[in-house]
Amino acid sequence: MRGSDERSGSLFSYVDLEARVRPDHPLRKIREIVNAALSDLSTAFAGLYTDFGRPSIAPERLLRAMLLQAFYGIRSERQLVERLEFDLLFRWFVGLGVDDPVWDHSTFSKNRDRLLEGEIAVKFLSAVLAQPKVKRLLSSDHFSVDGTLIEAWASIKSFRRKDGDDNDSEGPGRNAERSFHKEKRSNETHQSTTDPEARLYKKGDGRPAKLCYMGHALMENRHGLAVGGFVSQATGTAEREAALALIDSRHPTSRRITLGADKAYDVTQFVHDLRERSVTPHIAINGHLSKAGIPRKTAVDARTTRHAGYEISQRCRKRIEEVFGWIKSSAGLAKVKLRGRERVDAAFTLALAAYNLIRLPKLLAVQP
C-alpha cells in the first residue's frame, strides 16, 4: 500500500531530545567533557555577572554554541543561530529544549567582550586538559611548538600612512582602488585603519605580504594534543618569543623536557635560552646555503642530534601542522572575522580547545 505524502501536524511532541541522539554519537562524549570543564569554570563565570538585573543567556550555552561553530565550520553567527532553530542535535548539545527560543545573533557580540575580560577561552582550554581522563593522555616530557599566520579582517587598501600623508584614492566611494606604486610601506610608518593591531607580513621571499596576526601553539608529543597557545602580532621574532612564553607557562620547574621545532627556531640565542630553562632543543637544522654556497652555521650541536630521541621529536613535531590545518580549514580561522588582537586570541584559543575535543572520543575509546 502506498503511503500518503500529506503532512499531519501534531499539537504536542513527547519525544525527548536525549532520545533523538544516537547512543554512540561522538558529541555525547564531547558534551560530557565540555560540561565537566564548564562546571569547573562556574566560579569564573559568576565573577563576570552582577547579582541584580535581568538574567542573561547562560555563558555555558554560548560557549557550547561557539564550539559547534568550530566543529561544523559554520561561517557566521547568523548562520549558527539559524541552525539552532531547526537542528535538534545542535539544540541538544547547547542545552536548549525543543520549544526554547533561540537568542539573537547579536548576543555573541555583546557577550564576547565580557568573556574576553575573564580570559574564559584560556581557562576553558586548561579545564579541558585538567579532566582526569584527558590528563592521563598528555605527555609531560616531550613537546613541540610552531607558529602560523592568521589573515586579519582588513583590506590591504586600509594600510595607510600614520601621518595621514597618503596618495589620493583612485575612484569614488570609501572603498576606492588604491595605488601603492613606488611607495615604500612598513609597519613603522603605516597602519591599517580598520584593524590597527594587524601587521603587514609575508611568509617568505616571493610570497605576498598580507595584514595578519601570528598564532602560536604548544603540542604534547604523545597524542598530538594542543596544551597551550595564543596570538601575537606578526614579527620576525614573534615565534621564538612566543615559544619561550609557552614553555614558561607550561614548564615552571627545572625538570628537563624536550622541545621540537622547525628550522626557523635554529637561532643561537633561542637555543641558549632553552638550555637555561632545562629544555633540550630538538630543533631542525637550518642548512640554508648562502650566495657563496656556504651552509649556514647551526646552533644545534651533536650533544642533541646524536640521541635517538632527536629523530623521534623531528617526526612528532610535524603533527602540529595538523592542528593549524584543522583550525584554518574546519574552524574557519584562515581569515579571522574579528578585529583586535585580544578577540583574535580568544577565538584562536577556543579553536585549540575544539581541536582537542574532536579528537578525544577516539583517544578515550582505546584507553583501558
Side-chain angles (χ1 to χ4, degrees):
M1 177 179 177
R2 179 182 175 184
S4 174
D5 189 37
E6 295 181 1
R7 178 179 178 272
S8 58
S10 57
L11 184 60
F12 301 102
S13 175
Y14 299 97
V15 180
D16 185 33
L17 283 180
E18 192 70 25
R20 298 277 185 175
V21 182
R22 71 176 193 265
D24 60 341
H25 198 287
L27 282 182
R28 282 193 176 275
K29 179 60 69 174
I30 292 175
R31 191 173 189 267
E32 178 184 339
I33 299 171
V34 169
N35 288 345
L38 292 176
S39 178
D40 294 340
L41 296 180
S42 179
T43 303
F45 289 137
L48 300 177
Y49 295 85
T50 61
D51 297 331
F52 57 89
R54 186 179 62 180
S56 67
I57 298 171
E60 293 88 346
R61 293 184 175 183
L62 291 174
L63 279 172
R64 292 194 199 101
M66 294 168 71
L67 287 173
L68 285 174
Q69 187 176 8
F71 293 157
Y72 290 89
I74 300 175
R75 295 194 305 271
S76 67
E77 287 151 359
R78 288 178 183 268
Q79 289 186 341
L80 176 61
V81 170
E82 181 182 355
R83 186 77 176 266
L84 283 170
E85 285 284 0
F86 63 82
D87 197 318
L88 296 182
L89 178 65
F90 275 38
R91 281 180 171 268
W92 167 82
F93 186 85
V94 171
L96 294 173
V98 175
D99 300 322
D100 291 340
V102 181
W103 53 83
D104 189 76
H105 68 89
S106 61
T107 304
F108 290 97
S109 301
K110 293 179 181 178
N111 287 274
R112 183 179 288 112
D113 290 340
R114 175 180 289 159
L115 298 177
L116 187 65
E117 291 176 2
E119 298 181 348
I120 296 301
V122 177
K123 293 178 181 178
F124 178 72
L125 175 61
S126 299
V128 169
L129 298 174
Q131 298 303 308
K133 293 181 180 180
V134 180
K135 191 174 183 179
R136 64 182 182 179
L137 297 174
L138 306 178
S139 171
S140 59
D141 299 318
H142 307 289
F143 300 90
S144 296
V145 70
D146 202 0
T148 186
L149 293 181
I150 300 175
E151 191 173 351
W153 194 248
S155 170
I156 195 68
K157 291 184 290 186
S158 69
F159 198 59
R160 303 298 184 96
R161 291 186 61 89
K162 295 180 180 179
D163 56 12
D165 187 17
D166 287 293
N167 297 329
D168 294 333
S169 300
E170 299 176 358
R174 65 177 182 85
N175 197 27
E177 294 297 327
R178 174 124 160 78
S179 174
F180 295 102
H181 186 59
K182 294 184 179 181
E183 180 180 353
K184 184 178 180 180
R185 295 174 294 167
S186 69
N187 291 312
E188 287 73 23
T189 58
H190 290 64
Q191 188 180 56
S192 173
T193 56
T194 54
D195 191 354
E197 292 186 276
R199 291 291 179 266
L200 192 68
Y201 195 84
K202 65 178 180 179
K203 189 75 172 179
D205 295 338
R207 304 291 293 274
K210 297 180 179 180
L211 288 169
C212 55
Y213 292 94
M214 188 170 286
H216 313 273
L218 182 68
M219 180 192 75
E220 56 85 28
N221 287 355
R222 181 180 297 169
H223 290 100
L225 297 175
V227 296
F230 63 89
V231 167
S232 70
Q233 291 182 321
T235 64
T237 60
E239 286 186 301
R240 299 188 294 274
E241 294 169 356
L244 295 176
L246 289 171
I247 286 295
D248 290 340
S249 62
R250 186 69 187 179
H251 179 61
T253 64
S254 59
R255 184 171 54 86
R256 182 161 295 279
I257 63 173
T258 67
L259 181 69
D262 59 28
K263 62 183 181 181
Y265 296 83
D266 186 8
V267 177
T268 303
Q269 184 60 48
F270 177 71
V271 172
H272 175 72
D273 292 338
L274 289 182
R275 295 191 184 278
E276 282 190 337
R277 291 167 167 80
S278 299
V279 179
T280 302
H282 286 179
I283 299 174
I285 296 176
N286 187 355
H288 178 74
L289 298 177
S290 65
K291 293 182 179 180
I294 302 174
R296 181 182 178 275
K297 183 180 179 181
T298 179
V300 183
D301 53 33
R303 290 180 297 171
T304 301
T305 58
R306 66 182 178 180
H307 297 287
Y310 177 80
E311 295 295 332
I312 297 175
S313 291
Q314 285 301 297
R315 291 195 299 269
C316 291
R317 70 166 179 84
K318 297 178 182 179
R319 296 189 63 185
I320 201 170
E321 298 297 341
E322 298 176 11
V323 181
F324 294 144
W326 185 88
I327 287 176
K328 289 186 175 183
S329 62
S330 298
L333 287 187
K335 184 168 184 176
V336 66
K337 297 178 178 63
L338 300 170
R339 290 172 179 167
R341 191 200 62 81
E342 291 186 347
R343 290 186 176 91
V344 177
D345 176 61
F348 179 80
T349 306
L350 190 64
L352 291 178
Y355 173 80
N356 289 341
L357 288 169
I358 65 166
R359 297 198 55 230
L360 284 176
K362 288 186 177 180
L363 293 176
L364 294 175
V366 298
Q367 293 297 313

